Amino acid sequence: MVSLFKRKTKQKWALNKPLQHVAFIMDGNGRWAKKRLLPRHLGHQAGINRILEIAEACQELGIRVMSLYAFSTENWKRPQEEIDYLFEYLDVFFKREIDHLMRDGVQVRTMGDITRLPEKTRITVNEAKELTKNNKNFVLNICLNYGSRPEIVKAAQDFAKDVSLGKCQIEDLTEKKFLDYLYSVDLPEVDLLIRTSGENRLSNFMLYQLAYSEFIFTPTYWPDFDKKHFIKCLELYQHRNRRFGGLKNE
C-alpha cells in the first residue's frame, strides 16, 4: 500500500494513479444470505448497509463519483416480496443517512427510469436528490430500474426528437455529443468497474460508459465487501497500464 497511495492530509489519502469514478455491480446479496440460512431479502439489507462505508472510503481516497447498480430493468423478474423488501431497505437507507450525506457534502444522483419505482421509494429518492443537489464534495450515483440498452435507445430517440424540432442536425452527432443524452451526462468517465460475487459479466450495465474502463471481478459477496477488499481492488487498478488504444510504457 505504501507504494500505491500517498498521504494527502491527516485524514485523507490520494491515489498515485488518478481515479475519478468507480462503478460497482453489487452482486451476491442473495447468495450471502443463503449461505447463512437467511431469507434473501436480508442479503439486500446487508448490502445496502455496506454502501456508506465504501462511499466514505472513496471520499478518503479522493475519488469523486461512485456509481452503484442497485436495481436493473431485468430485476423485475424476481419474486415480488424480494423486490418490495429491497425498495423498503433503500427507503430506510435514505431517511436514516440523509443528514450524514448532507454533512459530508454528498450529492445523490440516479440513473434509470425511476417512475416505475414504488411511490414511497420514488418520493424518498427524489427528496434526497433535491436536498443534496448543490453538494459538491462527492457524487453517489444510484442506478435504479436501469439498463444500458434502454438508456442508449432512449438517448437515440431524444437526439432524433431534437433533430425533428430543428434544435440540431444529424451531422452534429458525435461521440461526445451523444454523451449529453445519456443518464450519466456531466459525470466523468468510469475509470474502474468492480463486480462482486465472482460473476464475470456486465449484465447490461453502463455499456457505453465502460468502453475504456478497467474491470475487476472479485469473488467476495457485496455484503462482505468492506474497505479492505476495496483497497485490494485499488491496488490491482494501480498496476494497470491504461493505454486507451495507444502505446505506453509496459
Side-chain angles (χ1 to χ4, degrees):
M1 181 170 172
V2 174
S3 63
L4 301 176
F5 303 95
K6 53 187 177 183
R7 198 68 181 266
K8 191 175 181 181
T9 68
K10 289 183 179 180
Q11 291 79 31
K12 294 187 177 182
W13 295 80
L15 295 167
N16 286 334
K17 182 175 289 185
L19 196 165
Q20 294 190 80
H21 187 172
V22 60
F24 292 93
I25 299 178
M26 305 182 295
D27 200 13
N29 294 342
R31 280 166 284 170
W32 178 90
K34 183 178 180 180
K35 184 178 178 180
R36 289 160 177 76
L37 304 180
L38 298 171
R40 283 179 57 85
H41 68 83
L42 291 182
H44 296 305
Q45 182 183 53
I48 287 175
N49 290 338
R50 180 62 67 188
I51 291 173
L52 207 58
E53 176 183 352
I54 302 304
E56 290 175 344
C58 286
Q59 293 174 76
E60 290 173 5
L61 292 162
I63 299 169
R64 293 178 48 211
V65 182
M66 180 173 82
S67 291
L68 303 172
Y69 203 9
F71 193 84
S72 76
T73 50
E74 291 76 29
N75 286 154
W76 295 107
K77 302 172 186 176
R78 296 190 176 189
Q80 188 61 47
E81 182 183 33
E82 181 178 339
I83 293 172
D84 292 342
Y85 271 115
L86 192 153
F87 286 125
E88 178 64 27
Y89 295 142
L90 188 65
D91 186 69
V92 169
F93 168 80
F94 277 117
K95 290 180 178 177
R96 184 184 67 212
E97 303 296 350
I98 189 63
D99 290 341
H100 191 153
L101 297 174
M102 287 296 296
R103 184 172 65 250
D104 287 354
V106 176
Q107 179 186 128
V108 176
R109 287 184 54 158
T110 60
M111 286 174 54
D113 179 9
I114 66 172
T115 61
R116 192 178 171 185
L117 270 56
E119 183 179 11
K120 180 182 177 182
T121 304
R122 187 172 67 251
I123 291 172
T124 299
V125 169
N126 281 331
E127 286 178 347
K129 290 168 66 175
E130 180 63 24
L131 283 170
T132 64
K133 66 181 181 181
N134 294 320
N135 291 345
K136 305 296 184 183
N137 292 345
F138 184 72
V139 175
L140 177 61
N141 180 40
I142 302 183
C143 303
L144 294 164
N145 193 28
Y146 173 82
S148 188
R149 287 180 175 179
E151 176 190 27
I152 292 170
V153 170
K154 180 182 180 298
Q157 292 172 336
D158 289 346
F159 176 75
K161 288 177 184 176
D162 282 351
V163 171
S164 68
L165 293 172
K167 295 182 179 180
C168 55
Q169 302 297 318
I170 292 176
E171 294 76 16
D172 294 334
L173 186 61
T174 62
E175 291 182 15
K176 185 176 181 180
K177 178 68 174 176
F178 193 68
L179 292 172
D180 293 340
Y181 292 89
L182 297 174
Y183 289 122
S184 56
V185 59
D186 297 332
L187 292 180
E189 292 191 5
V190 179
D191 298 295
L192 172 63
L193 168 78
I194 299 172
R195 178 167 187 158
T196 57
S197 89
E199 303 292 352
N200 299 313
R201 55 181 177 271
L202 297 181
S203 297
N204 201 18
F205 183 55
M206 298 181 80
L207 303 178
Y208 197 91
Q209 295 90 338
L210 294 175
Y212 275 103
S213 306
E214 296 294 321
F215 296 170
I216 292 177
F217 300 101
T218 172
T220 306
Y221 295 144
W222 174 253
D224 289 329
F225 189 85
D226 58 16
K227 184 177 178 180
K228 291 181 180 179
H229 290 95
F230 186 34
I231 293 297
K232 289 180 180 178
C233 289
L234 294 177
E235 288 174 339
L236 291 174
Y237 172 80
Q238 293 289 281
H239 289 295
R240 299 286 177 89
N241 185 6
R242 304 187 72 195
R243 296 185 296 275
F244 299 97
L247 296 176
K248 290 187 178 180
N249 293 332
E250 297 293 338

